[in-house]
C-alpha cells in the first residue's frame, strides 16, 4: 500500500513539473532575448545546412544538438510533404519571418529532458537511500 502511494506521489510531482515547464514555454516569443538559446539553434540549423555533424562552436552538448537536428529535419520533411515548404529556401524564409516553431521545438526538448532528469534523480536517490 505504501509503495502505491509513493508511485502516485511521484507521478503527481512528475506531471506537475512537466506542466509547469510547458506553461512557460512561449515566454518571450516571438522576440528572442536569450543569446545562448539563439546561438545553439542557429548553429544546429547551420549543421543541417552544411550537412555536417560537427557544429561550428562545440561548446554545448552534442547529443542535445543531434536530437535538435533530427527534430528540425523531421519538421522540415513534414512541412515539405504537406506543402508548407517547397524547399530549403522556403524553410529558411519561414524561419526568418517567424522563428517561433523552431524555438518551441527546441524548448520542448529542454522541457522533456529537464523533467526526465528530475525523474532520474529521484530514482537514483531512492536507490542510494
Amino acid at each position: 500500500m505504501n509503495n502505491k502511494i509513493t508511485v502516485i506521489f511521484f507521478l503527481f510531482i512528475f506531471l506537475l513539473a512537466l506542466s509547469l515547464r510547458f506553461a512557460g514555454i512561449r515566454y518571450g516569443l516571438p522576440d528572442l532575448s536569450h543569446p545562448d538559446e539563439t546561438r545553439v539553434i542557429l548553429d544546429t540549423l547551420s549543421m543541417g545546412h552544411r550537412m555536417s555533424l560537427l557544429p561550428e562552436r562545440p561548446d554545448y552538448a552534442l547529443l542535445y544538438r543531434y536530437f535538435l537536428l533530427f527534430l528540425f529535419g523531421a519538421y522540415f520533411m513534414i512541412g515539405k510533404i504537406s506543402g508548407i515548404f517547397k524547399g530549403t529556401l522556403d524553410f529558411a524564409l519561414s524561419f526568418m519571418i517567424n522563428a517561433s516553431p523552431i524555438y518551441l521545438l527546441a524548448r520542448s526538448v529542454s522541457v522533456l529532458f529537464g523533467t526526465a532528469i528530475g525523474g532520474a534523480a529521484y530514482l537514483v536517490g531512492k536507490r542510494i537511500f
Side-chain angles (χ1 to χ4, degrees):
M1 184 70 172
N2 191 16
N3 193 24
K4 189 175 182 178
I5 292 172
T6 303
V7 169
I8 290 172
F9 182 70
F10 172 74
L11 288 176
F12 173 74
I13 295 296
F14 185 80
L15 290 175
L16 180 66
L18 187 67
S19 64
L20 287 174
R21 285 182 169 107
F22 268 119
I25 201 166
R26 295 195 58 83
Y27 175 76
L29 292 178
D31 299 326
L32 307 172
S33 60
H34 201 281
D36 289 340
E37 182 182 31
T38 302
R39 188 170 71 196
V40 169
I41 288 175
L42 289 177
D43 197 18
T44 304
L45 288 171
S46 168
M47 288 167 58
H49 175 71
R50 293 180 288 113
M51 294 186 179
S52 172
L53 291 178
L54 297 173
E56 299 238 348
R57 296 188 59 159
D59 52 353
Y60 285 93
L62 283 179
L63 180 62
Y64 175 67
R65 288 186 181 197
Y66 292 153
F67 197 72
L68 285 181
L69 186 62
F70 172 77
L71 282 180
F72 295 163
Y75 174 69
F76 170 72
M77 290 307 294
I78 290 169
K80 187 168 176 140
I81 290 169
S82 65
I84 296 172
F85 309 125
K86 289 183 178 41
T88 55
L89 290 177
D90 282 345
F91 179 76
L93 182 62
S94 170
F95 177 75
M96 296 298 283
I97 292 171
N98 183 14
S100 295
I102 295 291
Y103 278 83
L104 288 173
L105 273 174
R107 289 177 181 185
S108 296
V109 170
S110 296
V111 163
L112 294 174
F113 280 3
T115 306
I117 287 173
Y122 167 76
L123 294 174
V124 168
K126 181 180 175 186
R127 178 168 236 176
I128 291 174
F129 297 107

